[in-house]
Amino acid sequence: MEKQRVATLTLDDGRSIELPMMSGTLGPDVIDIHGLSKLGIFTFDPAFFSTASCTSEITFIDGEEGLLYYRGYPIEQLAKNSDFLEVCYLLLNGDLPNAEQKQEFNTLITHHTMVHDQLARFYNGFRRDAHPMAVMVGVVGALSAFYHDSLDINNPQHRAVSAQRLLAKVPTIAAMSHKYNIGEPFMYPKNKFTFVENFMYMMFATPAEEYVPNPTLVRALERIFILHADHEQNASTSTVRLAGSSGANPFACVASGIAALWGPAHGGANEAALKMLEEIGDISNVDEYVQGVKDKKYRLMGFGHRVYKNMDPRASVMRETCYEVLKELGLENDKLFKLAMALEKIALSDPYFIERKLYPNVDFYSGIVLRALGIPTNMFTVIFAVGRTIGWISQWNEMIADKGQKIGRPRQLYIGEKRRDYVAVNQR
Ligand code: CMC
């Protein structure tokens, strides 16, 4: 039998402890620090720079090499050969479906896309100019008030039904948020369309006109969904897992993930990147803007990543898609696109960005593609949420199915006041 590898930690008071080392199938080894609390000490790792929060079989990232695998399959292969629902099946179930399973899954999801009609009334409670992410947090959370029949998280069948409902209904809720925002009628899903065609139909069609999806644009959105489907233990996924670790229902957990995704350092980056391009306005202003970044007045949105210290593999695929879409729409000379390319060139050649390994990330290019598809800026992060829902639910399901799962509860290094006695108000 192979000997258990250990790391030995010796404290300055002479006490020492042997900590088991663990190896995954890929990626760096980890030190299991569970035993440390027996010594009455904790580790300090705010923002989780050096801490694995769980084991997972779903997604692998090598940030140094720029690799991203879903269940072992490289993202480039999936983006090129697969479709979004097949990727969803893969993430959820562990393997690619055979032809029959694929057909069955597509039919199942297609037949869950309608939402309870009463849910539509929720929208009237929001202001028309509410940010669609605010609407998403509320309405997705409200799903738990409608689907009581699948809320037993310890029942694998209930978990499967909740996953199907979330995957199928989040796009409908997202498109409804957009329609409400612009004052157009909600478009009910149409089963003759594929998952992505149907989403574009619900977003762009009106009852007055026939809607014919453009295959190049459908393919581009399909890729955006595939590229955003999962990204291991990022901020929103960790939020879903932490919320779920208390036993909360999956609809509430996914709503918490949507809230975490909203921030500009995470899913809000695609919206922020496009706003930044609009603010720069003209190629002649790029140098001045970049100087402001170097002076740390602001950050270059759509650049840098906590894990990728090499080109984000999703960005390479999205860059290619960006060219395809702009060519299809005759937008190669689009002012904002040219501006983006000028910014990309500087960032890839300037020592400030090279030294800090700040490459363009997926959201830099996805913002340009989404804009070209006619999706308004305030819907960009919503599109990310539609793609990421399958990642959240697959990770949540993996966690709940783990028999040893416990409520997540980080510790802290307390730096507040020591014990002190209460002072009456007239003596303060
Ligand atoms: N522009 C300019 N400088 C940057 C940027 C940026 N976008 N990102 C990091 N830096 C600098 C930062 O100032 C620091 O420099 P110094 O060493 O001189 O102090 C150094 O790079 C390291 O930065 P950090 O803040 O320690 O890095 P982090 O790992 O905590 O941040 C990040 C990662 C994604 C939050 C950050 O790169 C960022 O804010 N990027 C812009 C927002 C963005 O595009 N986010 C989308 C990420 S991809 C989508 C997703 O997965 O959610």
Side-chain angles (χ1 to χ4, degrees):
M1 209 172 77
E2 210 176 303
K3 193 166 175 280
Q4 168 73 58
R5 292 159 61 220
V6 293
T8 307
L9 178 73
T10 307
L11 305 182
D12 57 0
D13 62 6
R15 288 182 299 164
S16 137
I17 184 166
E18 286 195 339
L19 302 165
M21 305 266 305
M22 296 165 74
S23 297
T25 43
L26 291 170
D29 292 342
V30 303
I31 301 170
D32 177 353
I33 58 169
H34 260 88
L36 273 183
S37 58
K38 283 193 217 128
L39 294 184
I41 51 169
F42 305 112
T43 52
F44 181 62
D45 187 21
F48 298 102
F49 273 86
S50 306
T51 298
S53 59
C54 60
T55 57
S56 181
E57 297 179 0
I58 301 176
T59 292
F60 173 73
I61 303 175
D62 183 331
E64 293 299 327
E65 296 295 325
L67 305 176
L68 169 60
Y69 303 160
Y70 292 164
R71 300 279 189 185
Y73 294 101
I75 191 68
E76 297 84 353
Q77 291 186 20
L78 293 170
K80 188 162 171 248
N81 304 310
S82 190
D83 59 66
F84 180 60
L85 274 192
E86 188 174 73
V87 168
C88 291
Y89 184 99
L90 172 69
L91 287 169
L92 203 52
N93 300 300
D95 284 306
L96 285 167
N98 62 27
E100 196 184 322
Q101 289 165 328
K102 186 175 158 97
Q103 179 59 40
E104 217 174 88
F105 189 66
N106 286 358
T107 308
L108 192 70
I109 300 304
T110 304
H111 288 89
H112 276 88
T113 47
M114 277 177 63
V115 292
H116 193 294
D117 222 41
Q118 177 120 350
L119 200 79
R121 298 199 202 157
F122 269 69
Y123 288 79
N124 294 331
F126 289 99
R127 283 171 52 138
R128 288 270 176 191
D129 62 357
H131 195 289
M133 281 297 276
V135 178
M136 290 293 288
V137 174
V139 179
V140 173
L143 286 175
S144 34
F146 285 83
Y147 300 106
H148 301 270
D149 60 345
S150 62
L151 293 183
D152 177 3
I153 61 164
N154 297 315
N155 180 332
Q157 184 52 26
H158 279 212
R159 293 205 300 274
V161 171
S162 293
Q164 288 149 17
R165 284 182 168 149
L166 276 158
L167 177 57
K169 293 181 201 309
V170 165
T172 311
I173 293 169
M176 287 166 82
S177 312
H178 170 59
K179 288 294 193 190
Y180 184 74
N181 204 230
I182 60 169
E184 285 186 5
F186 296 145
M187 297 299 288
Y188 285 96
K190 264 219 186 314
N191 291 353
K192 69 170 182 177
F193 288 133
T194 66
F195 184 88
V196 178
E197 285 171 350
N198 179 51
F199 179 64
M200 290 181 87
Y201 166 80
M202 293 187 295
M203 282 284 295
F204 298 124
T206 66
E209 297 279 349
E210 198 55 40
Y211 181 77
V212 183
N214 171 324
T216 307
L217 306 189
V218 169
R219 186 74 204 134
L221 193 56
E222 188 110 40
R223 280 204 173 154
I224 289 182
F225 286 154
I226 293 173
L227 297 178
H228 286 89
D230 194 45
H231 213 224
E232 49 119 307
Q233 308 312 319
N234 56 83
S236 57
T237 302
S238 298
T239 303
V240 171
R241 277 190 180 253
L242 195 56
S245 77
S246 73
N249 74 69
F251 303 107
C253 295
V254 168
S256 73
I258 296 173
L261 186 75
W262 195 356
H266 190 9
N270 49 16
E271 180 175 346
L274 206 85
K275 281 194 177 141
M276 173 190 75
L277 292 176
E278 282 163 354
E279 196 184 313
I280 300 173
D282 193 83
I283 291 197
S284 60
N285 300 327
V286 167
D287 287 342
E288 193 191 329
Y289 195 85
V290 168
Q291 191 51 50
V293 172
K294 291 181 186 175
D295 295 342
K296 300 204 185 286
K297 288 188 192 150
Y298 36 76
R299 286 190 169 205
L300 211 49
M301 299 315 286
F303 285 77
H305 198 276
R306 167 61 60 80
V307 181
Y308 295 118
K309 302 303 171 194
N310 200 324
M311 190 78 178
D312 175 344
R314 303 169 302 169
S316 310
V317 178
M318 209 63 251
R319 190 176 192 276
E320 212 181 285
T321 304
C322 193
Y323 279 101
E324 275 169 32
V325 167
L326 296 175
K327 186 159 174 263
E328 169 77 12
L329 297 172
L331 291 174
E332 294 107 315
N333 291 319
D334 177 64
K335 197 173 161 194
L336 228 52
F337 178 57
K338 293 215 144 170
L339 182 58
M341 292 304 105
L343 209 55
E344 178 199 59
K345 199 168 160 204
I346 294 181
L348 292 176
S349 57
D350 188 306
Y352 180 93
F353 298 98
I354 294 174
E355 278 160 22
R356 288 169 180 76
K357 300 187 176 173
L358 296 173
Y359 293 88
N361 58 50
V362 64
D363 287 329
F364 181 64
Y365 302 103
S366 67
I368 302 167
V369 175
L370 291 172
R371 176 174 170 268
L373 296 184
I375 293 175
T377 319
N378 66 1
M379 282 295 290
F380 286 8
T381 314
V382 175
I383 301 290
F384 192 156
V386 172
R388 184 56 57 86
T389 296
I390 188 62
W392 290 328
I393 199 72
S394 303
Q395 299 265 355
W396 171 84
N397 195 36
E398 180 180 67
M399 179 186 70
I400 300 294
D402 178 355
K403 297 260 183 301
Q405 181 264 328
K406 289 189 167 53
I407 187 168
R409 181 29 169 114
R411 304 304 292 243
Q412 64 168 8
L413 177 65
Y414 177 71
I415 54 169
E417 293 286 348
K418 292 192 174 151
R419 184 193 181 284
R420 50 183 174 167
D421 289 322
Y422 181 79
V423 179
V425 68
N426 58 358
Q427 290 166 32
R428 281 175 224 156

